[in-house]
Every structure is written in C-alpha cells, then in structure tokens.
Amino acid sequence: MAKPMTKTQLVAALAEEMGSDKKTAGAALDAVTNIITKEVSEGGAVTLPGVGKIYCRERPERMVRNPATGEQFKKEADKVVKMTIAKALKDSVNG
C-alpha cells in the first residue's frame, strides 16, 4: 500500500490542478481545512461533493472495558468526528 499523500505533495498537486502557485494552493487548502474544522466542531456537517460528508456525532455515556486488565468503568459522553464516503468515490475505487 502506498504512503498517504503529504500536505506538501497535496499542495503541489493542487497548485498544478489550479494552474496556480504553491503559495495560493496552500492558502486555499488551509482555508478549506479551517472552514471544515470550524463547522464540524460547532456540531455542523460539511459535504465535499464527490468525496463525502464530514460530521460530528455525540456518543452517550457508556460502560467500557480495559482489554489489558478486564476492568470495567464508565466512560463519559463525548463527541466523535465521522466521515461518510460518497458513492461516486467508492465506485471510482472499485472500477
């Protein structure tokens, strides 16, 4: 399996795709990241067309078990960031 694309590689690819320089592409990537982070952290969701939907889900208080010791304890309610992958992306991966 190939290594994930680094931010530097992503910025370079984005610059090429946009016909722009790396500084502009980096600023665009940072802006998109900031928008997604702000929206999802406030409980909203962001849909990236053709990629998927990023959202925050609340998990209730629950009992969990430490696998090393077998000890059970109560875990407080928390939030988890989830992503649903778009059908178009799934289909493109599966040919």
Side-chain angles (χ1 to χ4, degrees):
M1 184 164 167
K3 288 185 177 180
M5 187 181 270
T6 65
K7 182 178 179 181
T8 303
Q9 292 168 326
L10 181 57
V11 167
L14 188 57
E16 188 176 318
E17 187 74 25
M18 292 171 55
S20 167
D21 59 89
K22 290 180 185 176
K23 184 176 181 182
T24 303
L29 180 60
D30 288 343
V32 169
T33 302
N34 291 340
I35 291 166
I36 292 170
T37 301
K38 183 176 184 287
E39 187 65 27
V40 173
S41 67
E42 291 174 355
V46 176
T47 299
L48 298 173
V51 176
K53 178 180 172 184
I54 302 169
Y55 59 97
C56 183
R57 185 174 70 83
E58 292 190 20
R59 292 193 293 189
E61 184 178 272
R62 61 203 184 278
M63 293 301 290
V64 295
R65 185 177 67 84
N66 180 335
T69 64
E71 173 192 8
Q72 286 205 336
F73 59 96
K74 188 179 290 185
K75 183 162 170 77
E76 298 296 319
D78 62 354
K79 295 179 182 178
V80 62
V81 176
K82 299 290 231 170
M83 182 167 185
T84 304
I85 305 301
K87 184 177 184 323
L89 181 56
K90 286 180 195 175
D91 291 347
S92 71
V93 168
N94 290 314

